[in-house]
Amino acid sequence: MDAAATSPDRGWIPSHNESSYYEQLSSIGERELPPGFPPQITSEMAWSGRTFEFDSSNLLVLIPAHVRELEEASEYFKGLSAPMEVLSSATFPLPTLGPILSNFAKQVYDGKGLFAVRGLNPDNYSRETNVVMYVGISSYIGGTRGRQDEFGNMLLHLTDLGSAVAPETERQAPYSSVSQPFHTDIGSILGLYTLGEAVKGGESKLASSSTVYNQIAIMRPDVIRLLAKSNWVFDRYPSLEHSIQQSLIAPSFGQTPRYSTRPLLYHEDGRVILSFSRRPLVGSFTSPRSKGIPGLTNEQVEALNLVHFVAEEHALTIKLKKGDIMFWNNLGLLHCRNGFTDSAEHKRHLVRLWLHDENNAWPIPRELRNAWQDSYIHSGRQQHWPIEPIIDREYVSTQQRASGHA
């Protein structure tokens, strides 16, 4: 890149005002796609939000009989007095609804990559029952749940905890009202259950990684080559094995080695997978990158920004209503969210699950397997199922948290 050229935006959410961003990019020089990468991906999952429509294949509207079955299954499980980790399709029986959910789950793997469940009213149930019902439904989509942080929490409550817990400059994105850029998490499937809506904003956005790939492959195959290289430097937040004490001692992401390298883009089994978060790549306002580790080149930042802009161009914007549950393919879709404003009566509150299904899930790229195993192998490790948001300053502000950062 010409030293006199304007440096690319390295911010949390990049911005641009030009219509021809492709032409602003520095030329990397290699006009061929990486070996083995296809010119285009053709599949149901290669959609654009401009034309996407929810229909009977990806929207399940519960009828009263389904709701009664869910209520009965919840009472059955609670009657077992068993820990949440044993909740499964066997301990949460849904004789009528279960096969319907399993059929919808096929959309996540082989269809458009997402589906929604509508028809529950969280206000009719206790918080415990809401959680049991949600996890029970999810057990028909992906039977293995992932640990979402280094403390063993299996549920993450996405809600603005407010300045009484920690200042805005300290709270990590899941616990504040800020916008989030396009990224992926850890897991084959992500689930969200909407317990409350913001008075304004908070929309979720999904974008097909295949569509992002297809557009960039046509316009800038050199960027595809760059995304597929293994020299992307990720700041290393601690693994889920790190204890609370280790997390509190270390003031930065700080592991040894202090960073790792891998590609952002993979081609596996005829599919393309984008897997990354901006936070360990460029840092954020609450979690700046650790000092002394290699930074991304201008060309890499340009490529990272281009993925965001193309995803934005083709994003499906979804305003989840109270009671809505959404599942999507984390390997096939990127996601982000708009900033939001709460009121005393309307507060955004979503509960997130990371899910995996060994029988139906896409193959996991080799470079991602350690993170997957860290989250999904539970032998000898304690699980926590918080039915309310965790209100603890150290928890919501520490830079070491692993949740949400692939």
Side-chain angles (χ1 to χ4, degrees):
M1 185 176 185
D2 187 343
T6 303
S7 296
D9 188 346
R10 294 173 180 258
W12 175 239
I13 298 180
S15 60
H16 73 101
N17 299 313
E18 300 294 332
S19 59
S20 57
Y21 187 80
Y22 296 100
E23 302 307 317
Q24 299 178 48
L25 289 167
S26 303
S27 176
I28 299 168
E30 299 175 282
R31 299 297 299 174
E32 299 296 324
L33 291 168
F37 278 70
Q40 293 282 276
I41 295 292
T42 303
S43 75
E44 281 192 70
M45 214 171 291
W47 47 260
S48 173
R50 298 168 178 172
T51 57
F52 188 100
E53 293 183 1
F54 279 96
D55 56 31
S56 59
S57 70
N58 47 50
L59 176 61
L60 171 58
V61 180
L62 300 174
I63 61 176
H66 294 154
V67 175
R68 286 195 298 273
E69 197 167 86
L70 286 167
E71 292 170 345
E72 291 168 0
S74 298
E75 290 305 310
Y76 174 80
F77 177 77
K78 288 192 289 183
L80 299 176
S81 298
M84 283 290 292
E85 49 260 44
V86 306
L87 199 161
S88 68
S89 58
T91 58
F92 194 85
L94 298 173
T96 301
L97 182 58
I100 297 173
L101 288 168
S102 297
N103 191 55
F104 269 85
K106 297 175 184 176
Q107 273 291 320
V108 176
Y109 301 108
D110 300 318
K112 293 183 178 179
L114 71 155
F115 81 95
V117 179
R118 179 165 291 166
L120 286 175
N121 183 356
D123 293 339
N124 291 340
Y125 311 108
S126 68
R127 185 59 53 80
E128 179 189 10
T129 298
N130 273 305
V131 168
V132 168
M133 201 173 291
Y134 171 41
V135 177
I137 289 172
S138 77
S139 67
Y140 289 83
I141 314 305
T144 305
R145 276 91 59 166
R147 293 157 53 96
Q148 297 192 47
D149 60 31
E150 63 271 25
F151 305 97
N153 287 303
M154 308 298 291
L155 294 173
L156 196 69
H157 293 263
L158 309 178
T159 190
D160 186 357
L161 293 179
S163 57
V165 173
E168 180 71 22
T169 54
E170 293 183 18
R171 272 177 284 139
Q172 300 298 321
Y175 310 112
S176 72
S177 61
V178 299
S179 300
Q180 287 186 282
F182 281 100
H183 65 286
T184 57
D185 288 8
I186 297 174
S188 300
I189 304 172
L190 260 68
L192 294 178
Y193 180 27
T194 310
L195 298 180
E197 299 175 61
V199 67
K200 180 181 179 182
E203 298 86 358
S204 297
K205 293 184 177 182
L206 298 174
S208 164
S209 295
S210 296
T211 298
V212 172
Y213 173 89
N214 286 346
Q215 184 163 329
I216 297 177
I218 290 173
M219 302 295 292
R220 293 298 301 266
D222 52 337
V223 171
I224 296 295
R225 292 188 71 96
L226 184 57
L227 293 169
K229 288 184 177 180
S230 59
N231 62 344
W232 290 82
V233 176
F234 285 75
D235 202 349
R236 292 195 71 201
Y237 44 83
S239 70
L240 301 182
E241 292 294 343
H242 271 217
S243 67
I244 296 176
Q245 288 78 15
Q246 288 172 304
S247 296
L248 298 182
I249 291 170
S252 65
F253 284 1
Q255 288 188 80
T256 302
R258 300 176 61 197
Y259 63 90
S260 61
T261 58
R262 66 167 177 83
L264 304 191
L265 177 67
Y266 305 86
H267 180 231
E268 295 278 336
D269 218 21
R271 306 178 179 100
V272 292
I273 295 169
L274 280 163
S275 180
F276 69 92
S277 170
R278 283 186 76 92
R279 182 185 176 210
L281 290 167
V282 298
S284 72
F285 40 85
T286 54
S287 297
R289 270 181 127 226
S290 299
K291 295 180 180 180
I293 68 171
L296 300 188
T297 67
N298 282 344
E299 289 82 5
Q300 285 179 314
V301 177
E302 288 177 336
L304 185 63
N305 290 353
L306 180 59
V307 170
H308 179 89
F309 298 145
V310 177
E312 184 71 49
E313 183 181 347
H314 291 283
L316 172 66
T317 301
I318 304 168
K319 179 67 172 178
L320 293 172
K321 302 295 184 182
K322 181 185 285 190
D324 286 355
I325 300 175
M326 175 74 71
F327 297 102
W328 70 84
N329 188 322
N330 181 61
L331 295 173
L333 305 180
L334 299 166
H335 66 278
C336 74
R337 74 139 191 256
N338 289 338
F340 60 91
T341 302
D342 285 335
S343 69
E345 297 78 22
H346 300 282
K347 184 175 177 63
R348 188 180 191 270
H349 184 177
L350 280 70
V351 184
R352 189 179 75 188
L353 285 169
W354 288 349
L355 305 171
H356 185 67
D357 185 335
E358 288 291 343
N359 296 321
N360 298 303
W362 292 6
I364 308 301
R366 176 180 54 81
E367 294 91 339
L368 303 179
R369 290 174 192 164
N370 284 343
W372 251 252
Q373 291 171 354
D374 201 16
S375 184
Y376 291 91
I377 295 178
H378 304 306
S379 178
R381 304 162 79 187
Q382 191 171 8
Q383 297 182 27
H384 299 289
W385 294 85
I387 64 171
E388 298 287 350
I390 298 173
I391 303 175
D392 178 84
R393 180 166 180 161
E394 292 287 0
Y395 181 81
V396 304
S397 63
T398 177
Q399 294 181 347
Q400 284 75 21
R401 294 192 60 255
S403 59
H405 306 292

